[in-house]
């Protein structure tokens, strides 16, 4: 892949501040950056730096976490979601990722809270001009991060909300195993707001931090990107690798590995 069509996600070089992430993206010729909210300490300075460099913000991570056991926690979560929308707006981000939230003993109820929460957040996001990207996650994360565990579920949810600003953020790590993946990517079509890459490397030693750079594991990255492009996706492709192994390396080494993996796709 041409790195100008790719984006360096800040968590791939975890521990780096915003300026270092932007510097690394520029050094290697990435077209943009994906930003986790922990690096957004000074939005004004970040927005200025982005304008000067021409880097796009392919995504901000994250909003969501809608299922909560009490009304007080639900209100607190929605307040934080509005802050996340404001941050995405300030950076002219192409979408805000929604990690939808975990089950609290009632799986069906948690999924209803997800749908209700997105519907509640949508008018605020619309006023800010921010697109919301529902991220289906691997089923092993249903009890800790998201009850939306397949692209089919995410498509069903997005279609039920029926908003041009609510779509899909798809990560190869979470969905590669699904026999229905090609059909569901095609179904997402113009609601495919973001594409992220991380490889599946075994053995898994932690549900969050065992990922590999593109080409290190068993996922057909070339085929995955091609399916997304056939569905009409034309945005930046992010490399988002949560990995204890790569986090132990310097940010420069990790970025070089990410760039090399992408250029082999």
């Amino acid at each position: 892949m041409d790195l100008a069509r790719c984006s360096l996600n800040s968590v791939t070089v975890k521990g780096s501040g915003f300026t270092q992430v932007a510097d690394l993206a520029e050094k290697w010729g990435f077209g943009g950056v994906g930003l986790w909210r922990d690096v957004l300490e000074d939005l004004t300075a970040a927005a200025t730096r982005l304008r000067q460099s021409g880097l796009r913000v392919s995504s901000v991570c994250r909003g969501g976490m809608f299922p909560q056991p009490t009304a007080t926690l639900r209100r607190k979560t929605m307040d934080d979601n509005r802050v996340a929308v404001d941050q995405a707006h300030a950076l002219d981000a192409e979408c805000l990722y929604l990690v939808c939230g975990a089950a609290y003993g009632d799986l069906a109820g948690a999924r209803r809270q997800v749908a209700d929460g997105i519907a509640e957040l949508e008018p605020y996001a619309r006023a800010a001009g921010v697109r919301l990207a529902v991220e289906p996650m691997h089923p092993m994360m249903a009890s800790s991060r998201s009850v939306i565990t397949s692209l089919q579920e995410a498509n069903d949810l997005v279609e039920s909300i029926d908003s041009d600003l609510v779509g899909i953020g798809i990560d190869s790590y979470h969905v590669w195993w699904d026999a229905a993946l090609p059909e569901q990517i095609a179904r997402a079509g113009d609601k495919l707001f973001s594409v992220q890459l991380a490889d599946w490397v075994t053995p898994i030693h932690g549900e969050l931090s065992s990922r590999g750079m593109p080409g290190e594991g068993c996922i057909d990255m070339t085929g995955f990107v091609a399916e997304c492009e056939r569905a009409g996706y034309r945005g930046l492709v992010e490399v988002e690798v949560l990995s204890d192994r790569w986090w132990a390396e310097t940010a420069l080494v990790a970025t070089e590995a990410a760039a090399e993996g992408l250029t082999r796709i």
Side-chain angles (χ1 to χ4, degrees), residues 138-220:
H138 193 278
M140 69 178 170
M141 297 185 180
S143 68
S144 59
R145 283 169 180 81
S146 182
V147 295
I148 306 303
T149 58
S150 71
L151 183 51
Q152 179 176 336
E153 282 183 85
N155 275 327
D156 289 346
L157 176 60
V158 166
E159 289 173 7
S160 72
I161 293 171
D162 191 24
S163 165
D164 61 325
L165 292 183
V166 179
I168 303 288
I170 186 176
D171 185 328
S172 60
Y173 182 82
H174 290 302
V175 300
W176 70 274
W177 52 270
D178 191 343
L181 188 59
E183 294 81 6
Q184 291 300 321
I185 291 176
R187 178 185 171 191
D190 62 3
K191 290 295 185 73
L192 197 55
F193 290 172
S194 177
V195 171
Q196 294 180 328
L197 302 182
D199 220 334
W200 186 276
V201 180
T202 51
I204 299 294
H205 61 79
E207 67 178 30
L208 265 187
S209 55
S210 293
R211 305 180 199 190
M213 296 295 180
E216 283 195 296
C218 63
I219 300 176
D220 176 8

Side-chain angles (χ1 to χ4, degrees), residues 10-256:
S10 64
V11 80
T12 303
V13 289
K14 185 179 178 181
S16 302
F18 169 81
T19 299
Q20 187 178 12
V21 174
D23 286 348
L24 288 165
E26 278 194 291
K27 175 181 174 64
W28 286 96
F30 284 88
V33 288
L35 300 173
W36 278 39
R37 292 172 62 196
D38 62 342
V39 304
L40 301 180
E41 295 179 355
D42 188 335
L43 283 175
T44 301
T48 300
R49 174 76 169 79
L50 292 163
R51 285 194 299 270
Q52 291 171 344
S53 66
L55 290 169
R56 294 156 57 185
V57 178
S58 51
S59 71
V60 167
C61 182
R62 62 172 165 71
M65 295 298 173
F66 299 105
Q68 296 294 333
T70 69
T72 298
L73 287 173
R74 284 194 288 276
R75 285 193 297 273
K76 183 177 179 180
T77 298
M78 291 307 298
D79 288 344
D80 183 65
N81 274 305
R82 286 186 280 270
V83 172
V85 168
D86 293 342
Q87 291 172 318
H89 170 74
L91 298 172
D92 196 24
E94 295 176 10
C95 67
L96 171 66
Y97 262 81
L98 299 181
V99 177
C100 290
Y104 285 91
D106 178 1
L107 187 57
R111 287 178 172 138
R112 285 193 297 272
Q113 285 192 46
V114 169
D116 291 345
I118 296 173
E120 180 180 342
L121 185 61
E122 193 273 352
Y124 191 86
R126 180 169 297 280
V130 171
R131 300 195 302 177
L132 304 175
V134 175
E135 181 177 22
M137 303 193 86
H138 193 278
M140 69 178 170
M141 297 185 180
S143 68
S144 59
R145 283 169 180 81
S146 182
V147 295
I148 306 303
T149 58
S150 71
L151 183 51
Q152 179 176 336
E153 282 183 85
N155 275 327
D156 289 346
L157 176 60
V158 166
E159 289 173 7
S160 72
I161 293 171
D162 191 24
S163 165
D164 61 325
L165 292 183
V166 179
I168 303 288
I170 186 176
D171 185 328
S172 60
Y173 182 82
H174 290 302
V175 300
W176 70 274
W177 52 270
D178 191 343
L181 188 59
E183 294 81 6
Q184 291 300 321
I185 291 176
R187 178 185 171 191
D190 62 3
K191 290 295 185 73
L192 197 55
F193 290 172
S194 177
V195 171
Q196 294 180 328
L197 302 182
D199 220 334
W200 186 276
V201 180
T202 51
I204 299 294
H205 61 79
E207 67 178 30
L208 265 187
S209 55
S210 293
R211 305 180 199 190
M213 296 295 180
E216 283 195 296
C218 63
I219 300 176
D220 176 8
M221 293 291 184
T222 301
F224 177 76
V225 172
E227 292 285 359
C228 294
E229 290 176 339
R230 275 193 288 273
Y233 185 71
R234 296 296 180 267
L236 296 177
V237 175
E238 285 188 29
V239 57
E240 188 197 45
V241 176
L242 288 76
S243 166
D244 290 327
R245 181 167 72 89
W246 286 109
W247 291 338
E249 301 286 351
T250 66
L252 185 61
V253 167
T255 304
E256 181 177 11

